[in-house]
Amino acid sequence: MQELIVTGPGELAWIDSPSPTLRSTEGALVRPIAAASCDLDRRLIAGSTPFKPPFAIGHECVAEVLQVGEQVSSVQRGDLVSVPWKIACGRCAACLRGLSSACTAVTKYAAYGVPAGGHWGGLFSEEVYAPFADAMLVPLPAGTDPRAVASASDNLTDAWVATSTPLQQRADARVLVVGGTESLGILAVQMARVAGAAQVDYLDTDDYRRALAELSGANVDIGASSALDERYDVVIAATRDERALNRGLLGLAPGGHCSCIGIMFEPPRIPLFDLYMRNVTLSVGVCSVRHHIPTVLELVNSKQCDPLVVCPQIITCDDAPQALIDPQAKCIMVRERITTTVAPTERHT
C-alpha cells in the first residue's frame, strides 16, 4: 500500500509501505476515502514544528472498514466511519472521564499523522490500523456526505466543543472569533451560531478568511486595530499570533471565557493581571473528539453548519503531494470505495 510521507521540510511523497495487519481481536483495518488537511498539517509539512520527518501525514478522515477483529461489534466491513485523530482504548480511567486525548493504554500522545507518540500511520494513507475499533470508530448515519464530515476527526469537532461548552452557561452571549488558522476560526463562527450565540464577530487581517467568516454569518467589520475592551462574553482564539491572542483576551467581559484552540509551540505572553481583575477563564488543550463526533455528524446532516465552506479544493491522490504543501484553506483528498456494505442480517455478533 502507499502512505503519504513527509520526507523533508516542504516535501511530500507517496511511498510504498507494508500494509498494516489486524494485530488484535479488538482492532480494525480501514481505508480513508475522504481525508482532510488539518490546520496543523501545513506547519508539520513545512518543518516548523518539533516533529521531524519522515512520518506519515493526516489525522482527519472518513474511512471504509476493510476488516475487523473477532471482538468488534459496532462496525463491519463496508461501513463508513469517522476516525478520531487520537488512538484511545475507551476504557482506561482517562477515557472514561471523556479524556480520550490522555488515554493511558497507549504511548502518551499516540495519534495519527503526528509522530509525537510513535508512528501510527497517517489518514491520507491507503490503509490504517485502528487498534480499538469499538472505542474509536464512529459509524456515519445513512446519507452522510463523507467529504462534509472528513474533519469531524479533529478541526470540526474541536470548533464545536470550543464554542458550545462556554455558551452552555452564557445565554445571549456575544462571541468574538479571533482567526488566523486555515479553517478553525471559520468553523468556530458556524458552531457559535449553532450553539446559540446572540452575536458573532470575527477578527482577522486575511481578506479570504474574512469573506468565509462573513459567509458563515459573522460580522467582520469590527476594525482591525480598534479597541475591543471587555466587549465579549466568549472569545474563541483560533490564532497562532500572540498579539491577536492578546487582543482577544483583552476583549473579554468580566466573567468571560476564552477557548484557545490555535497551537502555539512557543510560550506566549498574556495579560494575566488584566484577566485576573476580570475573573475570566482560559481553556487550552487538545480536544477529546470521540465523545462529541455523533453530535457533530447530526449538526452537519441537519444542515445547521456547512464545513465544506472552508474546503474549496477536492483533490485526488495524485494531486495531494502538491496541494497539501500550500493549501489556501483546507482541502479534501478523495478515493474510490472498494467495499460494499453487507445486509444487516450478515453482521457479526
Side-chain angles (χ1 to χ4, degrees), residues 84 95 98-100 135-136 138 157 161 288-296:
C95 285
L99 292 174
S100 57
M136 292 175 58
V138 183
T157 304
V161 174
S288 296
V289 298
R290 173 57 180 87
H291 175 72
H292 304 278
I293 288 176
T295 298
V296 169

Side-chain angles (χ1 to χ4, degrees), residues 58 66 78 106 179 188 210 220 231 234 268 307 326 339:
L66 299 180
V106 292
R210 282 163 52 88
V220 300
R231 193 184 302 181
V234 174
D326 189 25
T339 66

